[in-house]
Amino acid sequence: MHLGIFGGTFDPPHIGHLALAFEACHQLELDNLLWVLTPCPPHKPNQPITPLQQRIEMVQAIVKNEPKFELSRVEIDRPAPHFAVDTVEILGDKYPNARLVYLLGGDSLRDLPFWRQAQKFTRLVDTLGVMHRPRASIDLSALKHDLPNLREKLFFIEAPLLQISSTDIRQRVRGNRPYRYLLPPLVDNIIIKHGLYASRF
Ligand code: ATP
């Protein structure tokens, strides 16, 4: 089976994440897609982050009506630090017959050489499904030079570029600017219910 792994802070999850997830399911013929919520992302040490419970609630709202989507607790249930290399190793052991397809945006691919044990990470995954992001230019030859086993694993997902980010949505909420159609209504309900992003971000 083809198992998608989609790691993120999801603070909040938005239409950009959904576009990537749906395109990946279609183009990479995923049987299941695990949304791997990261409790404390090692690469965002200085960023205030919404409490885990409320981010869980938002990701649950995203996955609950999509049969292929699932919230994975693989990082939630283990102590920090949460490195992707450990996550894919654990999931590889748990699903020994699955082909592991790790999804990420172009900005994350650009930073991949700086991830913990990037060589091992690229060895453990079968495919890296990448969706371009505006303003994230990628030097592919440098990447392939740094991580030679990326070569036959990269798959670029064809999709419209979406200039949507969680950062922008947090700023819009705080600044009282429109954001409603940048994320699903169920997620917006949770933002409103808990008063998220109003002051701290
Ligand atoms: P923040 O603005 O807080 O950094 P984000 O919008 O980048 O958040 P993350 O939860 O950090 O969201 O992203 C999880 C994954 O989804 C990353 O691999 C990221 O590159 C990808 N991603 C997020 N938004 C988009 C988008 N609009 N298009 C394509 N990929 C995206």
Side-chain angles (χ1 to χ4, degrees):
M1 77 148 177
H2 290 165
L3 179 67
I5 303 169
F6 187 24
T9 316
F10 303 125
D11 191 17
H14 52 68
I15 299 295
H17 296 130
L18 278 164
L20 171 49
F22 270 90
E23 286 291 353
C25 283
H26 176 67
Q27 294 181 30
L28 287 157
E29 300 180 344
L30 302 183
D31 297 291
N32 284 101
L33 177 53
L34 302 179
W35 290 62
V36 176
L37 179 59
T38 306
C40 9
H43 60 296
K44 297 180 180 176
N46 302 316
Q47 185 178 308
I49 292 180
T50 300
L52 179 61
Q53 206 45 50
Q54 292 165 2
R55 286 184 293 129
I56 290 177
E57 212 181 314
M58 291 191 279
V59 176
Q60 268 166 346
I62 292 256
V63 302
K64 73 176 179 193
N65 295 320
E66 293 300 331
K68 288 188 177 181
F69 291 178
E70 190 185 317
L71 166 65
S72 167
R73 297 190 61 94
V74 64
E75 295 191 355
I76 296 171
D77 290 341
R78 75 173 199 264
H82 302 107
F83 292 115
V85 64
D86 301 322
T87 299
V88 293
E89 188 158 40
I90 293 167
L91 292 174
D93 289 344
K94 185 169 175 190
Y95 303 98
N97 299 320
R99 285 186 63 78
L100 302 184
V101 181
Y102 198 95
L103 304 182
L104 69 182
D107 54 321
S108 306
L109 177 67
R110 187 193 50 205
D111 298 338
L112 186 57
F114 308 106
W115 288 19
R116 175 65 60 100
Q117 295 187 280
Q119 301 275 7
K120 180 175 173 187
F121 170 82
T122 48
R123 185 166 46 75
L124 289 174
V125 297
D126 294 289
T127 303
L128 275 166
V130 181
M131 188 165 134
H132 281 295
R133 279 188 95 169
R135 293 194 236 136
S137 59
I138 306 167
D139 182 345
L140 262 187
S141 49
L143 257 182
K144 287 176 181 169
H145 176 265
D146 290 343
L147 300 168
N149 51 7
L150 260 191
R151 233 168 263 275
E152 65 284 3
K153 300 198 176 184
L154 272 182
F155 180 99
F156 283 96
I157 295 166
E158 288 286 325
L161 286 183
L162 293 172
Q163 193 156 337
I164 301 174
S165 70
S166 301
T167 303
D168 181 51
I169 293 174
R170 294 192 299 271
Q171 289 170 349
R172 283 171 175 273
V173 178
R174 187 185 53 195
N176 229 353
R177 288 184 290 132
Y179 68 93
R180 185 185 299 167
Y181 296 107
L182 304 179
L183 38 71
L186 285 176
V187 174
D188 189 25
N189 292 345
I190 295 165
I191 291 175
I192 293 167
K193 180 174 84 177
H194 295 298
L196 300 183
Y197 313 126
S199 58
R200 286 191 315 120
F201 292 87

